[in-house]
Amino acid sequence: MKYQDILIENGDVVLDAGRNPVLIQDRAVIAQDIKHAIIESGLAVEMVAERSRSKRADLSMKLELLVEEDVRLVPGTVRLEEQTEGVIYVFAATLDFGELSLFVDVEQSRG
């Protein structure tokens, strides 16, 4: 185990049956960090709200570059998809833990 963190879902710490924080490791920590970086950037909300194709493409590229900044990922492996409006999927390869996939539901992240 290289990375460890507390699991956060919908802005809240997730607790187990004994009311202790649930811990996550390695790939799950990286995914959670990326998801929070996307949400905190505000770019995902801006992208979903944008109707101009070219501006959406620019915002998507900014999101991809934001994710690429994570030094725990293999450079050039980040791919973003918006298969459903308001849900952004992220795919990448980590340096130490294989493939990574996550999604950001923009509606839920608006808080």
Side-chain angles (χ1 to χ4, degrees):
M1 175 175 44
K2 194 170 183 178
Y3 306 107
Q4 187 167 339
D5 201 355
I6 295 171
L7 178 60
I8 307 288
E9 288 183 354
N10 301 320
D12 293 323
V13 174
V14 176
L15 303 176
D16 64 15
R19 311 260 319 135
N20 298 306
V22 173
L23 298 177
I24 55 174
Q25 292 84 32
D26 300 331
R27 182 179 16 211
V29 172
I30 298 169
Q32 178 169 277
D33 290 348
I34 290 169
K35 184 174 188 172
H36 289 160
I38 290 170
I39 291 167
E40 291 166 10
S41 75
L43 292 170
V45 172
E46 196 176 334
M47 189 172 104
V48 170
E50 184 57 59
R51 293 295 154 222
S52 165
R53 251 182 214 255
S54 62
K55 288 181 182 175
R56 285 174 65 83
D58 288 345
L59 290 165
S60 180
M61 179 58 69
K62 286 180 183 179
L63 274 174
E64 189 172 316
L65 291 172
L66 172 73
V67 175
E68 283 274 359
E69 289 177 8
D70 194 311
V71 297
R72 300 168 293 184
L73 300 179
V74 176
T77 63
V78 174
R79 191 176 89 247
L80 272 66
E81 293 181 14
E82 189 181 8
Q83 298 171 350
T84 306
E85 188 168 333
V87 180
I88 298 169
Y89 295 87
V90 179
F91 305 95
T94 66
L95 289 170
D96 298 317
F97 308 107
E99 296 296 315
L100 171 101
S101 63
L102 64 112
F103 71 92
V104 177
D105 186 334
V106 178
E107 290 300 317
Q108 286 185 348
S109 70
R110 287 184 184 184

